[in-house]
Amino acid sequence: MGGPLVFAHRGASYDLPEHTLAAYLRALDEGADGLECDVRLTRDGHLVCVHDRRLDRTSNGRGLVSARTLAELDALDFGSWHPGGAPSGDLPPDESHTRLLTLARLLDAVLAAGRPVRLLVETKHPSRFGAQVERRLVDLLRQYGLADPAPDDPVQVTVMSFSPLAVRRVRELAPALPTVLLLEVLPPWLRLGRLPFGARIAGPGIGLLRARPHLLPALRAAGNQVYVWTVNDPADVELVLAGEVDGIITDRPAHVLARRDR
């Protein structure tokens, strides 16, 4: 179908626990064009799919993600906090709903999908590891053959960040990877729609687009692609469809796909 790409924000995270394998597999089953994930480094240098810097909201652990080893994080429950985290009836617990997801495991799932998939990877900052986050990410993508994509490769990775420095870093480490500069507020230098060096795609939040209706036309007039997050409300879906954005990042991919394709 035509129209913008639809990306599942942390997987199908309205229905299932965010950043779990089950949430991503559900999004793929629903037909999402792509997936979105956040990555942080563990104390022993592994990239894991966790949004918050602290464990408290989405697991039964406490403290900083960056202070734990992968083995310590792997022992925690990352799904039971969510209504979709426990199987129904008498079924035994399913680790795809509760186990910590590493980026490597997500890449394995995406490559096994057997169809084209776009993967948006957001590096979280500030981080105690600084530039090491982007270096580890690019190293891992190189191991998977995803750091220098060809146009016909079925799996295409795009790296995102709210940090202009992180986006520039990715451009220097892997020039062929597309990059998104995420935006929650409007910096003065963006008033004319121009992105800083290293950023190829603008990533405004839906709240910013609602507050600054001139921004989307300015970004488009400057020749930028635009991916908008996190678009769940029907009125917001209609707003970004009318604005002809290039990508919609949503917790409810099936819902947005249905509205896009009707």
Side-chain angles (χ1 to χ4, degrees):
M1 299 295 294
L5 298 168
V6 174
F7 297 96
H9 181 244
R10 309 177 199 171
S13 55
Y14 181 83
D15 298 309
L16 293 169
E18 66 184 62
H19 284 131
T20 58
L21 183 58
Y24 287 110
L25 295 178
R26 170 75 66 86
L28 291 173
D29 287 344
E30 290 176 348
D33 301 298
L35 309 174
E36 184 271 350
C37 71
D38 306 289
V39 293
R40 293 184 177 276
L41 272 177
T42 65
R43 194 176 79 206
D44 50 347
H46 295 273
L47 286 162
V48 293
C49 301
V50 182
H51 176 271
D52 300 2
R53 60 193 294 269
R54 295 187 64 86
L55 292 160
D56 306 52
R57 181 178 66 88
T58 58
S59 82
N60 60 347
R62 296 291 181 270
L64 298 174
V65 175
S66 61
R68 300 291 194 96
T69 65
L70 179 59
E72 289 170 339
L73 293 171
D74 213 24
L76 299 176
D77 180 330
F78 279 84
S80 294
W81 62 275
H82 190 283
S88 58
D90 297 324
L91 294 174
D94 182 346
E95 72 168 22
S96 72
H97 290 69
T98 58
R99 187 183 180 190
L100 172 80
L101 186 64
T102 63
L103 181 58
R105 197 175 299 130
L106 178 57
L107 291 175
D108 289 337
V110 168
L111 289 166
R115 69 167 176 89
V117 180
R118 305 288 188 103
L119 179 62
L120 306 179
V121 180
E122 179 186 344
T123 61
K124 304 300 291 184
H125 289 280
S127 165
R128 66 192 288 188
F129 298 110
Q132 196 65 14
V133 180
E134 284 73 38
R135 292 193 192 105
R136 290 295 179 96
L137 173 59
V138 170
D139 285 347
L140 184 64
L141 294 178
R142 283 207 177 96
Q143 291 174 33
Y144 278 82
L146 298 172
D148 191 17
D152 57 349
D153 286 348
V155 174
Q156 300 275 340
V157 176
T158 296
V159 181
M160 311 193 298
S161 186
F162 284 96
S163 165
L165 183 57
V167 170
R168 180 188 290 255
R169 225 179 264 136
V170 172
R171 180 72 178 271
E172 292 169 348
L173 291 167
L177 284 177
T179 49
V180 178
L181 179 63
L182 296 168
L183 302 161
E184 190 164 19
V185 297
L186 185 63
W189 44 260
L190 192 66
R191 295 190 186 281
L192 297 178
R194 298 194 193 98
L195 296 176
F197 175 79
R200 298 175 175 176
I201 303 167
I206 186 63
L208 180 58
L209 287 192
R210 285 196 303 257
R212 307 277 187 167
H214 71 279
L215 179 58
L216 181 54
L219 288 168
R220 299 304 301 269
N224 300 305
Q225 291 188 61
V226 180
Y227 291 177
V228 185
W229 56 274
T230 303
V231 185
N232 295 322
D233 185 82
D236 289 334
V237 177
E238 297 306 323
L239 174 67
V240 296
L241 288 173
E244 299 183 343
V245 302
D246 301 282
I248 301 175
I249 302 170
T250 177
D251 299 329
R252 308 179 70 184
H255 170 77
V256 175
L257 285 164
R259 297 185 84 85
R260 183 196 70 180
D261 296 342
R262 71 173 188 262

PDB file of all heavy atoms in Angstrom, residues 39-51:
ATOM      1  N   VAL A  39      18.048   1.468  22.815  1.00  0.00           N
ATOM      2  CA  VAL A  39      19.138   0.632  23.304  1.00  0.00           C
ATOM      3  C   VAL A  39      19.963   1.352  24.357  1.00  0.00           C
ATOM      4  O   VAL A  39      20.176   2.565  24.294  1.00  0.00           O
ATOM      5  CB  VAL A  39      20.069   0.138  22.168  1.00  0.00           C
ATOM      6  CG1 VAL A  39      19.334  -0.824  21.248  1.00  0.00           C
ATOM      7  CG2 VAL A  39      20.675   1.282  21.387  1.00  0.00           C
ATOM      8  N   ARG A  40      20.388   0.563  25.347  1.00  0.00           N
ATOM      9  CA  ARG A  40      21.303   1.005  26.389  1.00  0.00           C
ATOM     10  C   ARG A  40      22.389  -0.048  26.554  1.00  0.00           C
ATOM     11  O   ARG A  40      22.190  -1.218  26.207  1.00  0.00           O
ATOM     12  CB  ARG A  40      20.557   1.190  27.714  1.00  0.00           C
ATOM     13  CG  ARG A  40      19.565   2.332  27.695  1.00  0.00           C
ATOM     14  CD  ARG A  40      18.920   2.539  29.043  1.00  0.00           C
ATOM     15  NE  ARG A  40      18.017   3.685  29.010  1.00  0.00           N
ATOM     16  CZ  ARG A  40      18.393   4.949  29.169  1.00  0.00           C
ATOM     17  NH1 ARG A  40      19.671   5.216  29.423  1.00  0.00           N
ATOM     18  NH2 ARG A  40      17.534   5.939  29.112  1.00  0.00           N
ATOM     19  N   LEU A  41      23.519   0.373  27.101  1.00  0.00           N
ATOM     20  CA  LEU A  41      24.616  -0.559  27.356  1.00  0.00           C
ATOM     21  C   LEU A  41      24.558  -1.062  28.793  1.00  0.00           C
ATOM     22  O   LEU A  41      24.333  -0.297  29.732  1.00  0.00           O
ATOM     23  CB  LEU A  41      25.968   0.120  27.125  1.00  0.00           C
ATOM     24  CG  LEU A  41      26.545   0.101  25.707  1.00  0.00           C
ATOM     25  CD1 LEU A  41      27.847   0.886  25.675  1.00  0.00           C
ATOM     26  CD2 LEU A  41      26.771  -1.310  25.200  1.00  0.00           C
ATOM     27  N   THR A  42      24.758  -2.370  28.946  1.00  0.00           N
ATOM     28  CA  THR A  42      24.898  -2.945  30.275  1.00  0.00           C
ATOM     29  C   THR A  42      26.300  -2.660  30.813  1.00  0.00           C
ATOM     30  O   THR A  42      27.185  -2.201  30.087  1.00  0.00           O
ATOM     31  CB  THR A  42      24.692  -4.461  30.228  1.00  0.00           C
ATOM     32  OG1 THR A  42      25.744  -5.041  29.443  1.00  0.00           O
ATOM     33  CG2 THR A  42      23.354  -4.826  29.612  1.00  0.00           C
ATOM     34  N   ARG A  43      26.497  -2.962  32.077  1.00  0.00           N
ATOM     35  CA  ARG A  43      27.805  -2.731  32.700  1.00  0.00           C
ATOM     36  C   ARG A  43      28.904  -3.496  31.982  1.00  0.00           C
ATOM     37  O   ARG A  43      30.054  -3.041  31.912  1.00  0.00           O
ATOM     38  CB  ARG A  43      27.758  -3.149  34.176  1.00  0.00           C
ATOM     39  CG  ARG A  43      28.936  -2.648  34.987  1.00  0.00           C
ATOM     40  CD  ARG A  43      28.783  -3.008  36.445  1.00  0.00           C
ATOM     41  NE  ARG A  43      29.140  -4.415  36.685  1.00  0.00           N
ATOM     42  CZ  ARG A  43      28.680  -5.155  37.688  1.00  0.00           C
ATOM     43  NH1 ARG A  43      27.800  -4.643  38.533  1.00  0.00           N
ATOM     44  NH2 ARG A  43      29.072  -6.397  37.850  1.00  0.00           N
ATOM     45  N   ASP A  44      28.554  -4.693  31.445  1.00  0.00           N
ATOM     46  CA  ASP A  44      29.566  -5.492  30.755  1.00  0.00           C
ATOM     47  C   ASP A  44      29.500  -5.340  29.230  1.00  0.00           C
ATOM     48  O   ASP A  44      29.998  -6.178  28.494  1.00  0.00           O
ATOM     49  CB  ASP A  44      29.478  -6.968  31.166  1.00  0.00           C
ATOM     50  CG  ASP A  44      28.074  -7.545  31.073  1.00  0.00           C
ATOM     51  OD1 ASP A  44      27.105  -6.769  30.932  1.00  0.00           O
ATOM     52  OD2 ASP A  44      27.924  -8.775  31.156  1.00  0.00           O
ATOM     53  N   GLY A  45      28.867  -4.257  28.747  1.00  0.00           N
ATOM     54  CA  GLY A  45      29.020  -3.881  27.343  1.00  0.00           C
ATOM     55  C   GLY A  45      28.071  -4.497  26.347  1.00  0.00           C
ATOM     56  O   GLY A  45      28.363  -4.505  25.153  1.00  0.00           O
ATOM     57  N   HIS A  46      26.906  -4.975  26.787  1.00  0.00           N
ATOM     58  CA  HIS A  46      25.913  -5.532  25.865  1.00  0.00           C
ATOM     59  C   HIS A  46      24.809  -4.516  25.604  1.00  0.00           C
ATOM     60  O   HIS A  46      24.394  -3.787  26.516  1.00  0.00           O
ATOM     61  CB  HIS A  46      25.307  -6.814  26.446  1.00  0.00           C
ATOM     62  CG  HIS A  46      26.285  -7.930  26.585  1.00  0.00           C
ATOM     63  ND1 HIS A  46      26.560  -8.814  25.568  1.00  0.00           N
ATOM     64  CD2 HIS A  46      27.065  -8.302  27.631  1.00  0.00           C
ATOM     65  CE1 HIS A  46      27.461  -9.698  25.980  1.00  0.00           C
ATOM     66  NE2 HIS A  46      27.792  -9.402  27.220  1.00  0.00           N
ATOM     67  N   LEU A  47      24.321  -4.473  24.366  1.00  0.00           N
ATOM     68  CA  LEU A  47      23.218  -3.589  24.009  1.00  0.00           C
ATOM     69  C   LEU A  47      21.895  -4.286  24.308  1.00  0.00           C
ATOM     70  O   LEU A  47      21.628  -5.371  23.785  1.00  0.00           O
ATOM     71  CB  LEU A  47      23.296  -3.214  22.532  1.00  0.00           C
ATOM     72  CG  LEU A  47      24.399  -2.207  22.164  1.00  0.00           C
ATOM     73  CD1 LEU A  47      24.672  -2.233  20.675  1.00  0.00           C
ATOM     74  CD2 LEU A  47      24.027  -0.795  22.622  1.00  0.00           C
ATOM     75  N   VAL A  48      21.087  -3.651  25.154  1.00  0.00           N
ATOM     76  CA  VAL A  48      19.799  -4.220  25.527  1.00  0.00           C
ATOM     77  C   VAL A  48      18.694  -3.225  25.178  1.00  0.00           C
ATOM     78  O   VAL A  48      18.903  -2.013  25.143  1.00  0.00           O
ATOM     79  CB  VAL A  48      19.743  -4.583  27.024  1.00  0.00           C
ATOM     80  CG1 VAL A  48      20.710  -5.725  27.318  1.00  0.00           C
ATOM     81  CG2 VAL A  48      20.056  -3.380  27.910  1.00  0.00           C
ATOM     82  N   CYS A  49      17.514  -3.762  24.917  1.00  0.00           N
ATOM     83  CA  CYS A  49      16.374  -2.951  24.494  1.00  0.00           C
ATOM     84  C   CYS A  49      15.563  -2.527  25.718  1.00  0.00           C
ATOM     85  O   CYS A  49      14.658  -3.250  26.160  1.00  0.00           O
ATOM     86  CB  CYS A  49      15.515  -3.737  23.515  1.00  0.00           C
ATOM     87  SG  CYS A  49      16.393  -4.266  22.026  1.00  0.00           S
ATOM     88  N   VAL A  50      15.910  -1.389  26.268  1.00  0.00           N
ATOM     89  CA  VAL A  50      15.229  -0.828  27.438  1.00  0.00           C
ATOM     90  C   VAL A  50      15.151   0.683  27.241  1.00  0.00           C
ATOM     91  O   VAL A  50      16.149   1.311  26.896  1.00  0.00           O
ATOM     92  CB  VAL A  50      15.988  -1.145  28.748  1.00  0.00           C
ATOM     93  CG1 VAL A  50      15.218  -0.591  29.958  1.00  0.00           C
ATOM     94  CG2 VAL A  50      16.218  -2.640  28.917  1.00  0.00           C
ATOM     95  N   HIS A  51      13.980   1.269  27.488  1.00  0.00           N
ATOM     96  CA  HIS A  51      13.826   2.708  27.298  1.00  0.00           C
ATOM     97  C   HIS A  51      14.379   3.516  28.468  1.00  0.00           C
ATOM     98  O   HIS A  51      15.191   4.411  28.294  1.00  0.00           O
ATOM     99  CB  HIS A  51      12.350   3.059  27.098  1.00  0.00           C
ATOM    100  CG  HIS A  51      12.104   4.526  26.997  1.00  0.00           C
ATOM    101  ND1 HIS A  51      11.850   5.318  28.103  1.00  0.00           N
ATOM    102  CD2 HIS A  51      12.089   5.363  25.926  1.00  0.00           C
ATOM    103  CE1 HIS A  51      11.701   6.563  27.716  1.00  0.00           C
ATOM    104  NE2 HIS A  51      11.827   6.631  26.401  1.00  0.00           N
TER     105      HIS A  51
END
